[in-house]
Amino acid sequence: MIRFALGNLTSRPLRSVLSVLGLAVAIGGMVGLFSIAGGIDQVVSKTFEQIPGLLVQQQGAPIPLFSTLPANWEAELEAIPGVGVVDPEVFCRVNQLDGKMIINPPRFAIGMEIDARLKLKRSLYRENLVDGRFFLPADVETNHCLISREISTSISKSVGDVIDLNGSEFEIVGIYETGSMMLDVNILMDINTCRRLGRIDVNTVGCFYVEADDSVDNKTLQKSIEDHFRGRDLRTWQPRSQFGGSGNVLANLARRLDQSIKGTSTLRETDEHHTDERFKKEEKSHSDAESKRLPIEVRSADDWGERIAEFSQDLNIFLTLMTAIGVSIATLSIVNTMMMSVTERTTEFGILRANGWSKSEIMRLMTLESSLIGFSGGMIGVSIGWLATLLVNWSWPGRLQLHAGFPLLFTSLIFSIALGLVGGLYPAWRASRLSPMESIRRG
Amino acid sequence: MDKNGVSNAFIEVKDLTKAYHRASLETLVLRGVNCKITEGEFAFVVGPSGSGKSTLLYLLGGLDQPTSGNISIAGEQLTEMSSSELDTLRRTKIGFIFQSFNLLRTMNCIDNVLAPFIPTGQAAAKREEAEALLARVGLGGRMHHRPSELSGGEQQRVAIARAILKKPQVILADEPTGELDTETGRRVFDILRELNQTEGTTIITVTHDERYINQDDKVLRMQDGQFLTNR
């Protein structure tokens, strides 16, 4: 039957090829679109599997870049049972690198407390060093930095070279490569150096990276930290600088937008008078709620993964809608091809019926032919989609990361075969309903 | 009838009518046809175009349903058979030969002969038999040729091989020499007569051309949807 079906398809090569190509484009597009979500998932897993510790950041901040916490909470964190190392971190966006404006991919300066960072049992940048050296205690307060291999390649600078970040000169002492697009955009430096670079208040940190000692697991430690800071009100705390934080206009704007959407309290309310009045009123009426308020979020790698999976699911809905357009057109093309085939092969169906073929066997033949179109289109589409993701990843390594894994490719192929099958059902039904006598006489 | 009054006809047609409807117009193609054909008989249905001969042939093959009346083949009432029973009948007991050969153009000779058995999965098992049949009709060297590479006579011989591979009880031939020259037509009828004599296959042929009718053959003359004479 398959040989017969193949023979029928190859006997009308141009039409079959056009139909296959129509489907291949749709399936290739589907693979390409869903590889975006696949790429995000891969980046997320690649990123967070390398971060075994906990991240303590401001409640409501979507990422640590938009978080600001009091630096003096470091000592409190260190005192919590089960805490091994606390590494405070600050962030700022690098707007100019070697005099050039940076738009995309973005570059972030991460300031870390070098002494604390050296105490970590697992330090992803240290573990992924590919050239030069990691920070030493002597690097504290210096303009020494580590950059990723991706940044190094893009600016053609290596260990020992000097780079200009937002107008300040830094010496590259090491090059790392984590393989994660989210991490390889970072330029690492001492915490106070980063504060100066971003004009960040000395009493401020972006977040704390906490590594547990061997006495507790992350879940327990997470709860202990949350319990410790529960009821603490960040609204009464103000850093010295008016705008403080990262000094990053974009980050501040994003934070304010985020806060206004959520209706949460602001960390740095500029209108102090308004703030004080409101807080006094609120404190009375919400005393119970205040005691339960949590000014921080303590996130493990799994929490980050879940949060990004939610975003990924939303993205999938959008991608499904986009794919549906292409797939609908491809299905109509199959229906059209098969309907033309039915019209042309009326006599053939009559002959087959005269030779004992049943209606269902005629339907089987037709749906097999359309499924073969689906299979061929699927194979070509999946191959094109897969090769395209490799090409995109190779062409823009630091900007895009697409991932078309086996499950996506296999599902796309099955989907394509199913489309072929569905596209062939109506024409097959029409073919099976033809009167054998009329069909033969028409020939 | 035998001595007990039971009909010994292999094929029996009783009061058969067939009408076609186009909008409100009814065209009566067969008007109460009756006939009997015994097993192993070589029968011809002759008559002018539009007399209803081909319609009768297709109704005998279960390819269409009569408006009224009955057809029985080997004691089985075609009008009472389900669609799948009719499919089985055509696959196992009835062979068709058409004027335009009606081979499947995407298949070579051997696959055309095996076409009835493709959906049942028996094609591979019957391959040797099909090859022998093609050799028997003189196409042993052209088994892998496509219909477009064969002459009309060769194509008709492939169609005959396809019809007889199932060892049918009846062969229904619709103008089998209509597109062939006299000599090729004669060879086609030689094969059919040999089959009739050696296998005892009942053969019913619809034709305009009476050159191939023998003295002993049954001849049914049709005109305007009715038989004029039975010989």
Coordinates of all heavy atoms in Angstrom, one line a residue, chain A residues 1-12 15 344-345 347-362 364-365 434-441 443, chain B residues 18 20 22 53-56 58-59 62-64 83-84 86-88 90-91 94 96 98 100 102-108 111 115-120 127 146 162-163 166:
Chain A
M1 N 0.8 -1.2 0.0 CA 0.0 0.0 0.0 C 0.9 1.3 0.0 O 0.6 2.2 -0.7 CB -0.9 0.0 1.2 CG -2.0 1.0 1.3 SD -3.4 0.7 0.3 CE -4.6 0.3 1.5
I2 N 2.0 1.2 0.8 CA 2.8 2.4 0.9 C 3.5 2.7 -0.5 O 3.6 3.8 -0.9 CB 3.9 2.2 2.0 CG1 3.2 2.3 3.4 CG2 5.0 3.3 1.9 CD1 4.1 2.1 4.5
R3 N 3.9 1.6 -1.1 CA 4.5 1.7 -2.4 C 3.6 2.3 -3.5 O 3.9 3.2 -4.2 CB 5.0 0.3 -2.9 CG 6.3 0.4 -3.7 CD 7.1 -0.9 -3.5 NE 6.3 -2.1 -3.9 CZ 6.2 -2.6 -5.1 NH1 6.9 -2.1 -6.1 NH2 5.5 -3.7 -5.3
F4 N 2.3 1.8 -3.4 CA 1.3 2.3 -4.3 C 1.1 3.8 -4.0 O 1.0 4.7 -4.9 CB 0.0 1.5 -4.0 CG -1.1 1.8 -5.0 CD1 -0.9 2.4 -6.2 CD2 -2.4 1.6 -4.6 CE1 -2.0 2.7 -7.1 CE2 -3.5 1.8 -5.4 CZ -3.3 2.4 -6.7
A5 N 0.9 4.2 -2.7 CA 0.7 5.6 -2.3 C 1.9 6.5 -2.8 O 1.7 7.5 -3.3 CB 0.5 5.7 -0.8
L6 N 3.1 6.0 -2.6 CA 4.3 6.7 -3.0 C 4.3 6.9 -4.5 O 4.6 8.0 -5.0 CB 5.5 6.0 -2.6 CG 6.1 6.3 -1.2 CD1 7.3 5.4 -0.9 CD2 6.5 7.8 -1.1
G7 N 3.9 5.9 -5.2 CA 3.9 5.9 -6.7 C 2.9 7.0 -7.1 O 3.2 7.7 -8.1
N8 N 1.8 7.0 -6.5 CA 0.7 8.0 -6.8 C 1.2 9.5 -6.6 O 1.0 10.4 -7.4 CB -0.5 7.8 -6.0 CG -1.3 6.6 -6.5 OD1 -1.2 6.2 -7.6 ND2 -2.0 5.9 -5.5
L9 N 2.0 9.6 -5.5 CA 2.5 11.0 -5.2 C 3.6 11.4 -6.1 O 3.6 12.5 -6.6 CB 3.0 11.0 -3.7 CG 2.0 10.9 -2.6 CD1 2.6 10.8 -1.2 CD2 1.0 12.1 -2.6
T10 N 4.5 10.4 -6.4 CA 5.6 10.8 -7.3 C 5.1 10.9 -8.8 O 5.9 11.5 -9.6 CB 6.7 9.7 -7.2 OG1 6.2 8.4 -7.4 CG2 7.4 9.8 -5.9
S11 N 4.0 10.4 -9.1 CA 3.5 10.5 -10.5 C 3.0 12.0 -10.7 O 2.8 12.4 -11.9 CB 2.3 9.6 -10.7 OG 1.2 9.9 -10.0
R12 N 2.8 12.7 -9.7 CA 2.5 14.2 -9.8 C 3.5 15.0 -9.0 O 3.2 15.5 -8.0 CB 1.1 14.4 -9.3 CG 0.0 13.7 -10.1 CD -1.3 13.6 -9.3 NE -2.3 12.8 -10.0 CZ -2.4 11.4 -10.0 NH1 -1.6 10.8 -9.2 NH2 -3.3 10.8 -10.7
R15 N 3.2 19.0 -8.0 CA 2.1 19.3 -7.0 C 2.5 18.7 -5.6 O 2.3 19.4 -4.6 CB 0.8 18.7 -7.5 CG -0.4 19.3 -6.7 CD -1.6 18.5 -7.0 NE -1.8 18.5 -8.4 CZ -2.6 17.5 -9.0 NH1 -3.1 16.6 -8.3 NH2 -2.8 17.5 -10.3
E344 N -8.9 14.1 -10.3 CA -8.1 13.5 -11.4 C -8.2 12.0 -11.4 O -8.1 11.4 -12.5 CB -6.6 13.9 -11.3 CG -6.4 15.3 -11.8 CD -4.9 15.7 -11.6 OE1 -4.1 14.8 -11.3 OE2 -4.6 16.8 -11.9
R345 N -8.3 11.4 -10.3 CA -8.2 9.9 -10.2 C -9.5 9.2 -10.0 O -9.6 8.1 -9.5 CB -7.3 9.6 -9.0 CG -5.8 10.0 -9.3 CD -5.0 10.1 -8.0 NE -4.9 8.8 -7.3 CZ -4.5 8.7 -6.1 NH1 -4.1 9.8 -5.4 NH2 -4.4 7.5 -5.5
T347 N -11.5 7.7 -12.1 CA -11.5 6.4 -12.8 C -10.7 5.4 -12.0 O -11.1 4.3 -11.9 CB -10.9 6.6 -14.2 OG1 -11.5 7.7 -14.8 CG2 -11.1 5.3 -15.0
E348 N -9.5 5.8 -11.5 CA -8.7 4.9 -10.7 C -9.5 4.3 -9.5 O -9.4 3.1 -9.3 CB -7.5 5.7 -10.2 CG -6.5 4.8 -9.5 CD -5.3 5.6 -9.0 OE1 -4.7 6.3 -9.7 OE2 -5.0 5.4 -7.8
F349 N -10.2 5.2 -8.9 CA -11.0 4.7 -7.7 C -12.0 3.7 -8.1 O -12.3 2.7 -7.5 CB -11.6 5.9 -6.9 CG -10.5 6.8 -6.3 CD1 -10.6 8.2 -6.5 CD2 -9.5 6.3 -5.6 CE1 -9.7 9.0 -6.0 CE2 -8.5 7.2 -5.1 CZ -8.6 8.5 -5.3
G350 N -12.7 4.0 -9.3 CA -13.7 3.1 -9.8 C -13.0 1.7 -10.2 O -13.6 0.7 -9.8
I351 N -11.8 1.8 -10.7 CA -11.2 0.5 -11.1 C -10.9 -0.3 -9.8 O -11.1 -1.5 -9.7 CB -9.8 0.8 -11.8 CG1 -10.1 1.5 -13.1 CG2 -9.1 -0.5 -12.1 CD1 -8.8 2.2 -13.7
L352 N -10.4 0.4 -8.8 CA -10.0 -0.2 -7.5 C -11.3 -0.8 -6.9 O -11.3 -2.0 -6.4 CB -9.4 0.7 -6.6 CG -8.0 1.2 -7.0 CD1 -7.4 2.3 -6.1 CD2 -7.0 0.0 -7.0
R353 N -12.4 -0.1 -6.9 CA -13.6 -0.6 -6.4 C -14.1 -1.9 -7.1 O -14.5 -2.9 -6.6 CB -14.8 0.4 -6.4 CG -14.6 1.6 -5.5 CD -14.5 1.3 -4.0 NE -15.6 0.4 -3.6 CZ -16.8 0.9 -3.2 NH1 -17.0 2.2 -3.3 NH2 -17.7 0.0 -2.8
A354 N -13.9 -1.8 -8.5 CA -14.3 -3.0 -9.3 C -13.5 -4.2 -9.0 O -13.9 -5.3 -9.2 CB -14.2 -2.6 -10.8
N355 N -12.3 -3.9 -8.5 CA -11.4 -5.0 -8.2 C -11.4 -5.4 -6.7 O -10.5 -6.0 -6.1 CB -9.9 -4.7 -8.6 CG -9.7 -4.9 -10.0 OD1 -9.6 -6.0 -10.5 ND2 -9.7 -3.8 -10.8
G356 N -12.5 -5.0 -6.0 CA -12.7 -5.5 -4.7 C -12.3 -4.5 -3.6 O -12.4 -4.9 -2.4
W357 N -11.7 -3.4 -3.9 CA -11.3 -2.4 -2.8 C -12.6 -1.9 -2.2 O -13.5 -1.5 -2.9 CB -10.5 -1.3 -3.4 CG -9.1 -1.6 -3.7 CD1 -8.6 -2.7 -4.5 CD2 -7.9 -0.9 -3.3 NE1 -7.3 -2.7 -4.5 CE2 -6.8 -1.6 -3.8 CE3 -7.7 0.2 -2.5 CZ2 -5.5 -1.2 -3.6 CZ3 -6.4 0.6 -2.3 CH2 -5.3 -0.1 -2.8
S358 N -12.6 -1.9 -0.9 CA -13.8 -1.3 -0.2 C -13.6 0.2 0.0 O -12.5 0.8 -0.3 CB -13.9 -1.9 1.2 OG -12.8 -1.6 2.0
K359 N -14.7 0.8 0.4 CA -14.7 2.3 0.6 C -13.6 2.7 1.7 O -12.8 3.6 1.5 CB -16.0 2.8 1.2 CG -17.1 2.8 0.1 CD -18.4 3.3 0.7 CE -19.5 3.2 -0.3 NZ -20.8 3.5 0.2
S360 N -13.5 1.9 2.7 CA -12.5 2.2 3.8 C -11.1 2.0 3.3 O -10.2 2.7 3.7 CB -12.8 1.3 5.0 OG -12.6 0.0 4.7
E361 N -10.9 1.0 2.3 CA -9.6 0.8 1.8 C -9.2 2.0 0.9 O -8.0 2.4 0.8 CB -9.5 -0.5 1.0 CG -9.4 -1.7 2.0 CD -9.8 -3.0 1.4 OE1 -10.3 -3.1 0.3 OE2 -9.7 -4.0 2.1
I362 N -10.1 2.6 0.2 CA -9.9 3.8 -0.7 C -9.5 4.9 0.3 O -8.6 5.7 0.0 CB -11.1 4.2 -1.5 CG1 -11.5 3.0 -2.5 CG2 -10.9 5.5 -2.2 CD1 -10.7 2.9 -3.7
R364 N -8.2 4.6 3.2 CA -6.9 4.3 3.7 C -5.8 4.8 2.8 O -4.8 5.3 3.2 CB -6.8 2.8 4.0 CG -6.4 2.5 5.4 CD -6.6 1.0 5.7 NE -5.5 0.2 5.1 CZ -5.6 -1.1 4.8 NH1 -6.7 -1.7 5.1 NH2 -4.6 -1.7 4.3
L365 N -6.0 4.5 1.5 CA -5.0 4.8 0.5 C -4.8 6.4 0.4 O -3.7 6.9 0.5 CB -5.4 4.3 -0.9 CG -4.5 4.8 -2.1 CD1 -3.2 4.1 -2.0 CD2 -5.2 4.5 -3.4
L434 N -17.5 8.0 -4.1 CA -17.8 8.1 -5.6 C -18.4 6.7 -6.0 O -18.0 5.7 -5.5 CB -16.5 8.3 -6.3 CG -15.8 9.6 -6.2 CD1 -14.4 9.6 -6.8 CD2 -16.7 10.7 -6.9
S435 N -19.4 6.8 -6.9 CA -20.0 5.6 -7.4 C -19.0 4.9 -8.4 O -18.5 5.6 -9.3 CB -21.3 6.0 -8.2 OG -21.5 5.0 -9.2
P436 N -18.7 3.7 -8.1 CA -17.7 3.0 -9.0 C -18.1 3.0 -10.4 O -17.2 3.2 -11.3 CB -17.7 1.6 -8.4 CG -18.5 1.5 -7.2 CD -19.2 2.8 -7.1
M437 N -19.4 2.8 -10.7 CA -19.8 2.7 -12.1 C -19.6 4.1 -12.8 O -19.0 4.2 -13.9 CB -21.2 2.3 -12.2 CG -21.7 1.9 -13.5 SD -23.3 1.3 -13.5 CE -24.3 2.7 -13.6
E438 N -20.0 5.2 -12.1 CA -19.9 6.5 -12.6 C -18.4 6.8 -12.8 O -18.0 7.4 -13.8 CB -20.5 7.5 -11.7 CG -22.0 7.6 -11.7 CD -22.5 8.0 -13.1 OE1 -22.0 9.1 -13.6 OE2 -23.3 7.3 -13.7
S439 N -17.6 6.4 -11.9 CA -16.2 6.7 -11.9 C -15.5 6.1 -13.1 O -14.8 6.7 -13.9 CB -15.5 6.2 -10.7 OG -16.1 6.7 -9.5
I440 N -15.9 4.8 -13.4 CA -15.3 4.1 -14.5 C -15.8 4.7 -15.8 O -15.0 4.9 -16.7 CB -15.6 2.6 -14.4 CG1 -14.9 2.0 -13.2 CG2 -15.2 1.9 -15.7 CD1 -15.3 0.6 -12.8
R441 N -17.0 5.0 -15.9 CA -17.6 5.6 -17.1 C -17.0 6.9 -17.4 O -16.9 7.3 -18.6 CB -19.1 5.7 -17.0 CG -19.8 4.3 -17.2 CD -21.3 4.4 -17.2 NE -21.9 3.3 -17.8 CZ -23.2 3.1 -17.9 NH1 -24.0 3.9 -17.3 NH2 -23.6 2.0 -18.4
G443 N -14.1 7.8 -17.0 CA -12.8 7.6 -17.6 C -12.9 7.2 -19.1 O -12.0 7.3 -19.9
Chain B
K18 N -33.5 -0.2 -13.9 CA -32.6 0.8 -13.4 C -32.9 2.1 -14.0 O -33.1 2.3 -15.2 CB -31.1 0.4 -13.8 CG -30.1 1.4 -13.4 CD -29.9 1.5 -11.8 CE -28.9 2.5 -11.4 NZ -28.8 2.6 -10.0
Y20 N -32.2 6.4 -13.7 CA -31.3 7.5 -13.3 C -32.2 8.8 -13.2 O -33.0 9.0 -14.0 CB -30.2 7.7 -14.3 CG -29.2 6.6 -14.3 CD1 -29.1 5.7 -15.3 CD2 -28.3 6.4 -13.2 CE1 -28.2 4.7 -15.3 CE2 -27.4 5.4 -13.2 CZ -27.3 4.5 -14.2 OH -26.5 3.5 -14.2
R22 N -32.0 12.8 -12.9 CA -31.3 14.1 -13.1 C -32.3 15.2 -12.9 O -33.2 15.4 -13.6 CB -30.7 14.3 -14.5 CG -29.5 13.5 -14.7 CD -28.2 14.2 -14.2 NE -27.1 13.2 -13.9 CZ -26.3 12.8 -14.8 NH1 -26.3 13.2 -16.1 NH2 -25.3 11.9 -14.5
K53 N -26.7 -2.1 -22.0 CA -25.8 -3.3 -21.9 C -24.8 -3.1 -20.8 O -24.6 -4.0 -19.9 CB -25.1 -3.8 -23.1 CG -25.4 -3.1 -24.4 CD -24.7 -3.6 -25.6 CE -23.5 -2.7 -26.0 NZ -24.1 -1.4 -26.4
S54 N -24.1 -2.0 -20.8 CA -23.0 -1.8 -19.8 C -23.6 -1.6 -18.4 O -23.1 -2.1 -17.4 CB -22.2 -0.5 -20.2 OG -21.5 -0.8 -21.3
T55 N -24.8 -0.9 -18.4 CA -25.5 -0.8 -17.1 C -25.8 -2.2 -16.5 O -25.5 -2.4 -15.3 CB -26.8 0.0 -17.2 OG1 -26.4 1.3 -17.8 CG2 -27.5 0.2 -15.9
L56 N -26.3 -3.1 -17.3 CA -26.6 -4.4 -16.9 C -25.3 -5.1 -16.3 O -25.3 -5.7 -15.3 CB -27.2 -5.2 -18.0 CG -27.4 -6.7 -17.7 CD1 -28.4 -6.9 -16.6 CD2 -27.8 -7.5 -19.0
Y58 N -22.5 -3.7 -15.1 CA -22.1 -3.2 -13.8 C -23.0 -3.6 -12.7 O -22.5 -3.9 -11.6 CB -22.1 -1.6 -13.9 CG -20.9 -1.1 -14.8 CD1 -21.2 -0.2 -15.8 CD2 -19.6 -1.5 -14.6 CE1 -20.2 0.3 -16.6 CE2 -18.6 -1.1 -15.4 CZ -18.9 -0.2 -16.4 OH -17.8 0.3 -17.2
L59 N -24.3 -3.8 -13.0 CA -25.2 -4.3 -12.0 C -24.9 -5.7 -11.6 O -25.0 -6.1 -10.5 CB -26.7 -4.1 -12.4 CG -27.2 -2.7 -12.5 CD1 -28.6 -2.7 -13.1 CD2 -27.3 -2.1 -11.1
G62 N -22.2 -5.9 -9.2 CA -22.4 -5.3 -7.9 C -21.8 -3.9 -7.8 O -21.5 -3.4 -6.6
L63 N -21.5 -3.3 -8.9 CA -20.9 -1.9 -8.8 C -22.0 -0.9 -8.7 O -21.7 0.3 -8.4 CB -20.1 -1.7 -10.1 CG -18.8 -2.4 -10.2 CD1 -18.1 -2.2 -11.5 CD2 -17.8 -2.0 -9.1
D64 N -23.2 -1.2 -8.8 CA -24.3 -0.3 -8.7 C -25.5 -1.1 -8.2 O -25.6 -2.3 -8.3 CB -24.6 0.4 -10.0 CG -25.3 1.8 -9.8 OD1 -25.6 2.1 -8.6 OD2 -25.6 2.5 -10.8
S83 N -22.5 -3.8 1.7 CA -21.4 -3.2 0.8 C -20.1 -4.0 0.9 O -19.4 -4.3 0.0 CB -21.2 -1.8 1.3 OG -20.1 -1.2 0.6
S84 N -19.8 -4.5 2.2 CA -18.5 -5.2 2.3 C -18.6 -6.6 1.7 O -17.6 -7.1 1.2 CB -18.1 -5.3 3.8 OG -19.0 -6.1 4.5
L86 N -20.3 -7.2 -1.0 CA -20.1 -7.0 -2.4 C -18.7 -6.8 -2.8 O -18.2 -7.3 -3.8 CB -20.9 -5.8 -2.8 CG -22.5 -6.0 -3.0 CD1 -23.2 -4.7 -3.2 CD2 -22.8 -6.9 -4.1
D87 N -17.9 -6.1 -1.9 CA -16.5 -5.9 -2.1 C -15.8 -7.2 -2.1 O -14.9 -7.5 -3.0 CB -15.9 -5.0 -1.0 CG -16.4 -3.6 -1.0 OD1 -16.8 -3.1 -2.0 OD2 -16.4 -3.0 0.1
T88 N -16.1 -8.1 -1.2 CA -15.5 -9.4 -1.2 C -15.9 -10.2 -2.4 O -15.0 -10.9 -3.0 CB -16.0 -10.2 0.1 OG1 -15.8 -9.3 1.2 CG2 -15.3 -11.5 0.3
R90 N -16.5 -9.1 -5.4 CA -15.7 -8.6 -6.5 C -14.3 -8.9 -6.4 O -13.6 -9.2 -7.4 CB -15.9 -7.0 -6.6 CG -17.2 -6.5 -7.1 CD -17.1 -5.1 -7.5 NE -16.8 -4.2 -6.4 CZ -17.7 -3.7 -5.6 NH1 -19.0 -3.9 -5.8 NH2 -17.3 -2.9 -4.6
R91 N -13.8 -9.0 -5.2 CA -12.4 -9.3 -5.0 C -12.1 -10.8 -5.2 O -11.0 -11.2 -5.7 CB -11.9 -9.0 -3.6 CG -10.4 -9.3 -3.3 CD -10.0 -8.9 -2.0 NE -9.9 -7.4 -1.9 CZ -10.3 -6.7 -0.8 NH1 -10.9 -7.3 0.2 NH2 -10.2 -5.4 -0.8
I94 N -15.5 -12.2 -9.0 CA -15.9 -11.5 -10.3 C -14.6 -10.8 -10.8 O -14.0 -10.0 -10.0 CB -17.0 -10.5 -10.1 CG1 -18.3 -11.3 -9.6 CG2 -17.3 -9.7 -11.3 CD1 -19.4 -10.4 -9.3
F96 N -13.2 -8.1 -13.7 CA -13.7 -7.1 -14.7 C -12.7 -6.8 -15.8 O -11.5 -6.8 -15.5 CB -14.0 -5.8 -14.0 CG -15.3 -5.7 -13.3 CD1 -15.5 -6.0 -12.0 CD2 -16.5 -5.4 -14.0 CE1 -16.7 -6.0 -11.3 CE2 -17.7 -5.3 -13.4 CZ -17.8 -5.6 -12.0
F98 N -12.2 -4.0 -19.0 CA -12.9 -2.8 -19.5 C -12.3 -2.5 -20.9 O -11.2 -2.9 -21.3 CB -12.6 -1.6 -18.6 CG -13.1 -1.8 -17.2 CD1 -12.2 -2.2 -16.2 CD2 -14.4 -1.6 -16.9 CE1 -12.6 -2.4 -14.9 CE2 -14.9 -1.8 -15.6 CZ -14.0 -2.2 -14.6
S100 N -11.3 0.4 -22.0 CA -10.1 1.3 -22.0 C -9.0 0.7 -21.1 O -8.2 1.4 -20.6 CB -10.5 2.7 -21.4 OG -11.6 3.2 -22.1
N102 N -8.1 0.3 -18.4 CA -8.2 0.8 -17.0 C -7.1 0.2 -16.1 O -7.4 -0.4 -15.1 CB -9.6 0.5 -16.5 CG -10.6 1.5 -17.0 OD1 -10.2 2.6 -17.5 ND2 -11.9 1.2 -16.9
L103 N -5.9 0.3 -16.6 CA -4.8 -0.1 -15.7 C -4.4 1.1 -14.9 O -4.7 2.3 -15.2 CB -3.6 -0.5 -16.6 CG -3.8 -1.8 -17.4 CD1 -2.6 -2.1 -18.2 CD2 -4.3 -3.0 -16.6
L104 N -3.7 0.9 -13.8 CA -3.3 1.9 -12.9 C -1.9 2.4 -13.4 O -1.0 1.7 -13.5 CB -3.2 1.4 -11.4 CG -4.5 0.9 -10.9 CD1 -4.2 0.0 -9.6 CD2 -5.4 2.0 -10.6
R105 N -1.9 3.7 -13.9 CA -0.7 4.1 -14.6 C 0.5 4.3 -13.8 O 1.6 4.3 -14.4 CB -1.1 5.5 -15.3 CG -1.3 6.6 -14.4 CD -1.7 7.8 -15.2 NE -1.9 9.0 -14.3 CZ -0.9 9.8 -13.9 NH1 0.3 9.6 -14.4 NH2 -1.2 10.8 -13.1
T106 N 0.4 4.4 -12.5 CA 1.6 4.5 -11.7 C 2.2 3.2 -11.3 O 3.3 3.2 -10.7 CB 1.2 5.3 -10.3 OG1 0.3 4.5 -9.6 CG2 0.7 6.7 -10.6
M107 N 1.6 2.1 -11.7 CA 2.1 0.8 -11.4 C 2.6 0.1 -12.6 O 2.1 0.3 -13.7 CB 1.0 -0.1 -10.8 CG 0.6 0.4 -9.4 SD -0.7 -0.8 -8.9 CE -0.7 -0.4 -7.2
N108 N 3.6 -0.8 -12.4 CA 4.0 -1.6 -13.6 C 3.0 -2.8 -13.8 O 2.1 -2.9 -13.0 CB 5.5 -2.1 -13.4 CG 5.6 -2.9 -12.1 OD1 4.7 -3.5 -11.6 ND2 6.8 -3.0 -11.6
D111 N 2.5 -5.2 -10.7 CA 1.7 -4.6 -9.6 C 0.2 -4.4 -10.0 O -0.6 -4.4 -9.1 CB 2.4 -3.3 -9.2 CG 3.7 -3.6 -8.5 OD1 3.8 -4.7 -7.9 OD2 4.6 -2.7 -8.5
A115 N -3.0 -5.7 -8.0 CA -3.8 -4.6 -7.3 C -4.9 -5.0 -6.5 O -5.1 -4.4 -5.4 CB -4.3 -3.6 -8.4
P116 N -5.7 -6.0 -6.8 CA -6.9 -6.4 -6.0 C -6.4 -6.8 -4.6 O -7.2 -6.8 -3.6 CB -7.6 -7.5 -6.7 CG -7.1 -7.3 -8.2 CD -5.8 -6.8 -8.1
F117 N -5.2 -7.3 -4.5 CA -4.8 -7.9 -3.3 C -3.8 -7.0 -2.4 O -3.3 -7.4 -1.4 CB -4.0 -9.3 -3.6 CG -5.0 -10.2 -4.3 CD1 -4.9 -10.4 -5.6 CD2 -5.9 -11.0 -3.5 CE1 -5.8 -11.3 -6.3 CE2 -6.8 -11.8 -4.2 CZ -6.7 -12.0 -5.5
I118 N -3.6 -5.8 -2.9 CA -2.8 -4.9 -2.1 C -3.4 -4.6 -0.7 O -2.7 -4.7 0.3 CB -2.6 -3.5 -2.9 CG1 -1.7 -3.8 -4.1 CG2 -1.9 -2.5 -2.0 CD1 -1.5 -2.6 -5.0
P119 N -4.7 -4.2 -0.6 CA -5.2 -3.9 0.7 C -5.3 -5.1 1.6 O -5.3 -5.0 2.9 CB -6.5 -3.3 0.5 CG -6.9 -3.7 -0.9 CD -5.7 -4.0 -1.7
T120 N -5.4 -6.3 1.1 CA -5.5 -7.5 1.9 C -4.2 -8.0 2.4 O -4.1 -9.0 3.2 CB -6.2 -8.6 1.2 OG1 -5.5 -9.0 0.1 CG2 -7.6 -8.2 0.8
R127 N 2.5 -13.1 -5.9 CA 3.4 -12.5 -6.9 C 3.8 -13.6 -7.9 O 3.8 -13.3 -9.1 CB 4.7 -11.9 -6.2 CG 5.4 -11.0 -7.1 CD 6.4 -10.1 -6.3 NE 6.9 -9.1 -7.2 CZ 6.4 -7.9 -7.5 NH1 5.3 -7.6 -6.8 NH2 6.9 -7.1 -8.3
R146 N 5.5 -0.1 -17.4 CA 4.3 0.6 -17.0 C 3.3 0.6 -18.2 O 3.7 0.4 -19.3 CB 4.7 2.0 -16.7 CG 5.5 2.1 -15.4 CD 5.4 3.4 -14.7 NE 6.1 3.3 -13.4 CZ 5.9 4.1 -12.4 NH1 5.1 5.1 -12.6 NH2 6.6 4.0 -11.3
R162 N -5.1 -9.5 -14.6 CA -5.6 -9.0 -13.3 C -6.9 -9.6 -13.0 O -7.2 -10.0 -11.8 CB -5.7 -7.5 -13.4 CG -6.2 -6.8 -12.1 CD -6.2 -5.3 -12.2 NE -7.1 -4.8 -13.2 CZ -7.2 -3.6 -13.6 NH1 -6.3 -2.7 -13.2 NH2 -8.1 -3.2 -14.5
A163 N -7.7 -9.8 -14.0 CA -9.1 -10.3 -13.7 C -9.1 -11.8 -13.4 O -9.9 -12.3 -12.6 CB -10.0 -10.1 -15.0
K166 N -7.5 -13.9 -9.5 CA -8.3 -14.3 -8.3 C -9.1 -15.6 -8.6 O -9.8 -16.1 -7.8 CB -9.3 -13.2 -8.0 CG -10.3 -12.9 -9.1 CD -11.1 -11.6 -8.8 CE -10.4 -10.3 -9.1 NZ -11.3 -9.2 -9.2

